[in-house]
């Protein structure tokens, strides 16, 4: 059975709810903008949490999602008050904008079978300083961690294409680790970060636009002989750059 879409949308005084055990689907926008909702009990047997189900639930600090859940939709917890989140073990994709602007989110545990990180999934999660991506991840969409609080980031071994703005504006990011199998790097991937060094992977032949723009602490930059093009403003305002090879 399903709790229908928009069922409790805008119920601004609703502070707690226990979802009945027969419910298997929480539909889109079910608890959208329930600004006082602070306690949610979900039943074992729940399978799906749809798009924007808990979007703008600003008072929701924690939620235990049952292991039976196999699908969590786009923007499910967008702009919520969540401080931590553990994905159920069968979730393979982190949906688009799922935690967008969740400024309190400080801890995330991904499923061991995660394959995809969606567009802007952790955008502006300013309290999120670290995240461990399992080696199963093979695709990351643009702006996934844009303007988050990450201080370091290691690219999973199966990801060979780095999308636009993946870490744009992560002002506390000092350490960015790639592997040699990376074949392409999008625009603005590290723009405005605090990285101090950058080594271009050997299979990447183009420097994308704004790739390292505004990296004011960048001191060491290492390219290679296979580079065929350097696009506009790739290293603009890298004020501390001392070494370029």
């Amino acid at each position: 059975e399903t709790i229908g879409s928009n069922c409790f949308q805008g119920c601004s005084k609703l502070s707690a709810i226990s979802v009945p055990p027969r419910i298997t689907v929480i539909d889109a926008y079910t608890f959208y903008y329930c600004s006082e909702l602070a306690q949610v009990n979900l039943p074992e047997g729940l399978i799906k949490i749809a798009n924007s189900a808990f979007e703008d639930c600003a008072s929701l600090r924690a939620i235990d999602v049952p292991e039976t859940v196999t699908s969590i939709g786009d923007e499910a917890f967008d702009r919520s008050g969540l401080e931590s989140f553990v994905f159920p073990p069968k979730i393979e994709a982190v949906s688009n904008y799922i935690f967008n602007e969740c400024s309190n989110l400080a801890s995330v545990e991904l499923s061991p079978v995660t394959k995809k990180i969606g567009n802007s999934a952790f955008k502006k999660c300013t309290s999120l300083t670290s995240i461990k991506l399992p080696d199963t991840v093979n695709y990351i969409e643009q702006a996934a961690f844009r303007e988050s609080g990450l201080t370091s980031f290691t690219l999973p071994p199966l990801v060979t294409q780095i999308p636009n703005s993946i870490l744009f504006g992560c002002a506390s990011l000092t350490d960015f680790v790639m592997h040699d199998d990376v074949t392409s790097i999008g625009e603005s991937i590290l723009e405005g970060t605090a990285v101090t060094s950058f080594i271009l992977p050997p299979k990447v032949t183009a420097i994308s636009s704004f790739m390292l723009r505004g990296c004011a602490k960048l001191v060491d930059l290492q390219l290679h002989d296979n580079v065929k093009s350097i696009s506009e403003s790739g290293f603009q305002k890298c004020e501390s750059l001392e070494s370029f090879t």
Side-chain angles (χ1 to χ4, degrees), residues 41-80:
N41 295 318
L42 301 177
E44 289 294 330
L46 186 69
I47 296 172
K48 179 181 179 180
I49 299 173
N51 295 355
S52 301
F54 295 95
E55 183 175 351
D56 276 314
C57 291
S59 299
L60 188 64
R61 301 297 188 213
I63 188 169
D64 291 328
V65 179
E67 292 188 354
T68 51
V69 171
T70 59
S71 175
I72 302 177
D74 294 348
E75 302 172 279
F77 301 100
D78 188 357
R79 294 190 302 274
S80 71

Side-chain angles (χ1 to χ4, degrees), residues 94-221:
V94 177
S95 302
N96 301 330
Y97 293 90
I98 184 172
F99 299 117
N100 176 54
E101 295 189 41
C102 290
S103 59
N104 296 323
L105 188 66
S107 173
V108 175
E109 184 178 330
L110 299 180
S111 158
V113 296
T114 304
K115 295 180 180 179
K116 174 188 172 184
I117 310 294
N119 186 348
S120 302
F122 299 97
K123 181 181 176 182
K124 294 188 177 181
C125 291
T126 51
S127 297
L128 188 67
T129 59
S130 65
I131 188 168
K132 180 175 175 54
L133 302 184
D135 288 348
T136 52
V137 173
N138 57 31
Y139 187 69
I140 302 176
E141 292 197 13
Q142 67 178 6
F145 302 96
R146 177 178 175 141
E147 296 172 90
S148 69
L150 291 179
T151 60
S152 64
F153 185 85
T154 300
L155 193 72
L158 297 180
V159 177
T160 58
Q161 297 179 325
I162 303 177
N164 294 346
S165 304
I166 182 177
L167 294 161
F168 173 94
C170 294
S172 299
L173 187 80
T174 59
D175 189 23
F176 177 65
V177 179
M178 293 179 287
H179 51 80
D180 286 348
D181 289 327
V182 172
T183 58
S184 67
I185 296 177
E187 296 180 0
S188 300
I189 63 156
L190 293 170
E191 182 175 350
T193 65
V195 293
T196 57
S197 64
F198 184 86
I199 301 174
L200 191 71
K203 296 179 181 178
V204 177
T205 60
I207 303 299
S208 59
S209 300
F210 318 115
M211 188 172 76
L212 292 162
R213 183 171 68 169
C215 292
K217 296 184 179 181
L218 183 69
V219 175
D220 181 38
L221 175 63

Side-chain angles (χ1 to χ4, degrees), residues 213-245:
R213 183 171 68 169
C215 292
K217 296 184 179 181
L218 183 69
V219 175
D220 181 38
L221 175 63
Q222 298 181 38
L223 305 184
H224 51 72
D225 292 339
N226 295 326
V227 174
K228 297 179 180 179
S229 65
I230 299 178
S231 298
E232 61 175 324
S233 303
F235 312 115
Q236 183 181 5
K237 294 185 179 181
C238 292
E239 300 165 354
S240 300
L241 187 61
E242 298 175 355
S243 174
F244 173 48
T245 57

